[in-house]
Amino acid sequence: MEDSYSFDKFCELLSDEDILRTSTAFGVAKKFQNYILDIKSQVLKELMNRTENQDVYLDFLINEIEKQDYVKDAGINYINSWLKEYSISIDAILEDEDHNEPIFAVLDRHYNDMEPFSAEKDKALLLQTGFLNYFCCLYANQLIEFLKSKMPKAKPQEPAQIPIVNNKPFKDEYLTVFCKEISDERAVRETSFMQLYDCGLTHYTPYLESEITENLLILDKDKKEDYLSYVLDKVTKTPFASISNDFIDKYIQEYDVDINDFPNFKNKELNDALETYYQGMHYTTHQEQYNLLRIQIDFYCYASMLEVKKIVEFIETKSVKQNVKNQPIKQGISEPISKLKWLGKTSQLGFIISSLTDLGYIEAPLRQNGDINYTQFAKLVKQTFDIDTTESTLSKYLNTDSEKGQEPMRKFEQNGFNIPHKNIVS
């Protein structure tokens, strides 16, 4: 492209996070429109002058657009609440030349001209930020579609592309996507925590477990432990793998909920906060917006840590080295001491241990507020008993006040289960 000024400015505008300091969201839309008109002319001129590599040239332009830092999926849902509030369509906004509609008093007015710290200024900033994200995505997609439409048709006798050969002796597609999904807390800005939890954070865990199992079946015996160490290294180096188990305790106490119900709590206010679409919300203050983003990111980090723990526990069940390393060694004895083999169900172990705690025979770990820390409790029980379950599942059965904990309690009581309190038999 001989004259790339408009294209360069278009790409700069896509990534300019501070543009609202000097322009308005509607002003940015007009700039995009003007740039695109000139870019189309320049592209068509360039294609006429090129006799070959037209596809490479167009691919280069598309790649330059896509690598810019803008919200790639900022669809109409980013501005729906504002369109409803002002009873106007996006087409009416883009086609309006007189700016008589009430929304333009906010959309095309510089918020720096408004009274500092006022509700009016806060609203203008939120509205313009939403529209800015929408316009960036809208016009980037428009230009990309134009460039794709000019791609030369493939010649029928063109040789097929040589497929990329994976030189690794194992598959790692799900390992890669798993690590990506649990590392991108910024994704909360584009959706909600619960949407990410259901469709991303927990979605790939069973697939990764299956991938690990399949790889162990095809790998040579002397390569299995190296592979498991490789997976362990990958997942434990993700950003939130090592955060503490009490990372969200402040929310648990604030909303008075049970951590064992995570993430489907019995508190509507907390559930609403976790399910709210961050960009689709109409905030009255910056603090309200910050608080919602903070809680969703914190819960994302905590959930990421839980998924890492699941994979680590799964690897431990597959690794000879990990099993040996995790078993305590008695002084003077070379062989590892086995855990107590639990032959019953997880629910039964949880109820019996919980009963012994209530009756004074066992001291359970406590939180700062005096409540039992069931996550830590489950970890200690699992270190003592050889049982095929996760700490998360066991913690639910240790809590007899939870829905899962109630079921085995009813069965034991119906069959006459009774242990006297420690003080009675002392």
Side-chain angles (χ1 to χ4, degrees):
M1 189 185 294
E2 293 181 4
D3 183 3
S4 63
Y5 175 81
S6 293
F7 184 78
D8 293 341
K9 297 302 289 185
F10 181 90
C11 291
E12 287 177 16
L13 196 55
L14 282 176
S15 298
D16 191 347
E17 296 180 351
D18 297 322
I19 188 61
L20 291 182
R21 295 180 183 272
T22 57
S23 182
T24 66
F26 191 76
V28 170
K30 288 300 180 183
K31 287 182 180 180
F32 278 134
Q33 292 171 7
N34 292 332
Y35 288 146
I36 286 178
L37 287 175
D38 189 51
I39 292 169
K40 286 182 177 180
S41 297
Q42 293 296 330
V43 168
L44 292 174
K45 181 180 178 181
E46 183 74 18
L47 291 175
M48 285 189 294
N49 293 332
R50 284 177 175 264
T51 57
E52 57 184 18
N53 294 331
Q54 292 181 336
D55 55 340
V56 176
Y57 164 69
L58 292 169
D59 275 334
F60 167 75
L61 296 181
I62 292 172
N63 183 66
E64 286 298 301
I65 296 170
E66 291 180 338
K67 78 178 186 181
Q68 302 307 314
D69 187 18
Y70 66 97
V71 182
K72 306 295 192 295
D73 62 348
I76 197 70
N77 52 326
Y78 266 54
I79 56 174
N80 257 337
S81 60
W82 300 111
L83 296 178
K84 290 178 182 178
E85 179 176 338
Y86 288 94
S87 301
I88 193 171
S89 67
I90 186 61
D91 290 335
I93 291 175
L94 295 174
E95 295 169 4
D96 192 320
E97 296 181 357
D98 300 325
H99 293 196
N100 292 327
E101 294 291 341
I103 193 171
F104 284 101
V106 187
L107 181 60
D108 199 26
R109 181 186 172 194
H110 205 295
Y111 66 86
N112 279 340
D113 296 335
M114 301 176 185
E115 183 181 347
F117 308 110
S118 65
E120 179 190 33
K121 183 173 182 178
D122 287 341
K123 180 177 181 180
L125 177 59
L126 291 171
L127 182 145
Q128 293 206 31
T129 300
F131 272 88
L132 176 64
N133 286 325
Y134 173 76
F135 288 143
C136 286
C137 184
L138 173 69
Y139 291 110
N141 289 341
Q142 279 188 14
L143 187 51
I144 288 172
E145 286 304 311
F146 168 77
L147 296 172
K148 287 181 177 179
S149 72
K150 300 305 173 186
M151 282 283 187
K153 294 182 180 179
K155 297 177 182 179
Q157 294 184 346
E158 267 189 325
Q161 288 186 343
I162 299 173
I164 298 173
V165 178
N166 182 5
N167 293 322
K168 292 178 182 175
F170 53 82
K171 299 176 182 178
D172 64 353
E173 288 87 351
Y174 284 115
L175 174 61
T176 300
V177 73
F178 173 84
C179 292
K180 179 178 180 294
E181 288 294 330
I182 64 170
S183 303
D184 186 14
E185 82 283 5
R186 292 186 64 184
V188 167
R189 296 174 180 270
E190 301 169 20
T191 177
S192 70
F193 164 74
M194 285 306 301
Q195 183 74 13
L196 285 174
Y197 183 82
D198 293 332
C199 301
L201 284 168
T202 60
H203 179 74
Y204 292 102
T205 302
Y207 292 101
L208 176 54
E209 291 177 349
S210 297
E211 183 176 82
I212 293 171
T213 302
E214 290 174 13
N215 285 330
L216 291 174
L217 290 174
I218 63 174
L219 284 170
D220 294 336
K221 188 175 181 179
D222 61 341
K223 300 294 184 183
K224 296 182 189 291
E225 290 298 334
D226 289 339
Y227 165 69
L228 291 175
S229 297
Y230 167 77
V231 176
L232 193 63
D233 182 66
K234 284 285 187 182
V235 298
T236 54
K237 284 184 177 177
T238 52
F240 315 113
S242 59
I243 66 172
S244 63
N245 288 322
D246 59 358
F247 188 73
I248 59 171
D249 271 12
K250 59 182 178 181
Y251 301 112
I252 300 304
Q253 295 170 14
E254 178 183 347
Y255 290 97
D256 191 24
V257 292
D258 187 345
I259 187 63
N260 293 301
D261 293 329
F262 181 92
N264 301 301
F265 298 101
K266 297 180 177 66
N267 183 298
K268 186 177 185 303
E269 185 181 358
L270 177 56
N271 290 339
D272 287 346
L274 298 177
E275 293 171 1
T276 296
Y277 195 126
Y278 172 71
Q279 289 286 0
M281 183 72 175
H282 182 194
Y283 306 95
T284 56
T285 64
H286 284 305
Q287 189 62 43
E288 182 184 0
Q289 184 181 27
Y290 171 81
N291 289 343
L292 181 66
L293 181 61
R294 184 74 266 154
I295 188 173
Q296 294 212 19
I297 288 179
D298 284 351
F299 273 72
Y300 175 97
C301 297
Y302 181 78
S304 296
M305 179 269 291
L306 293 182
E307 295 310 302
V308 170
K309 288 181 68 174
K310 289 179 186 177
I311 295 300
V312 170
E313 290 175 8
F314 180 79
I315 290 174
E316 288 175 353
T317 66
K318 302 293 183 182
S319 170
V320 175
K321 288 183 180 179
Q322 292 294 330
N323 286 336
V324 171
K325 185 175 70 174
N326 290 335
Q327 290 174 339
I329 306 297
K330 241 186 185 178
Q331 189 174 7
I333 300 178
S334 59
E335 295 183 359
I337 301 172
S338 297
K339 298 178 182 180
L340 294 172
K341 180 68 175 178
W342 181 256
L343 302 179
K345 296 180 178 179
T346 304
S347 58
Q348 295 166 344
L349 176 62
F351 172 74
I352 291 173
I353 296 297
S354 180
S355 298
L356 291 173
T357 303
D358 293 340
L359 296 169
Y361 294 95
I362 294 176
E363 184 178 9
L366 303 177
R367 300 185 184 279
Q368 292 181 352
N369 63 359
D371 293 337
I372 293 177
N373 187 332
Y374 288 104
T375 302
Q376 187 64 27
F377 197 8
K379 183 187 292 290
L380 294 173
V381 173
K382 204 165 184 299
Q383 289 173 358
T384 306
F385 291 92
D386 180 6
I387 180 170
D388 186 15
T389 187
T390 64
E391 292 176 9
S392 175
T393 300
L394 181 57
S395 68
K396 291 180 173 63
Y397 285 115
L398 285 169
N399 182 6
T400 53
D401 292 330
S402 70
E403 187 175 343
K404 282 187 176 291
Q406 291 287 317
E407 183 181 344
M409 183 171 67
R410 286 193 295 268
K411 291 182 179 179
F412 272 92
E413 289 178 349
Q414 288 171 3
N415 288 276
F417 178 83
N418 179 51
I419 296 178
H421 195 280
K422 176 177 69 73
N423 294 339
I424 296 177
V425 295
S426 295

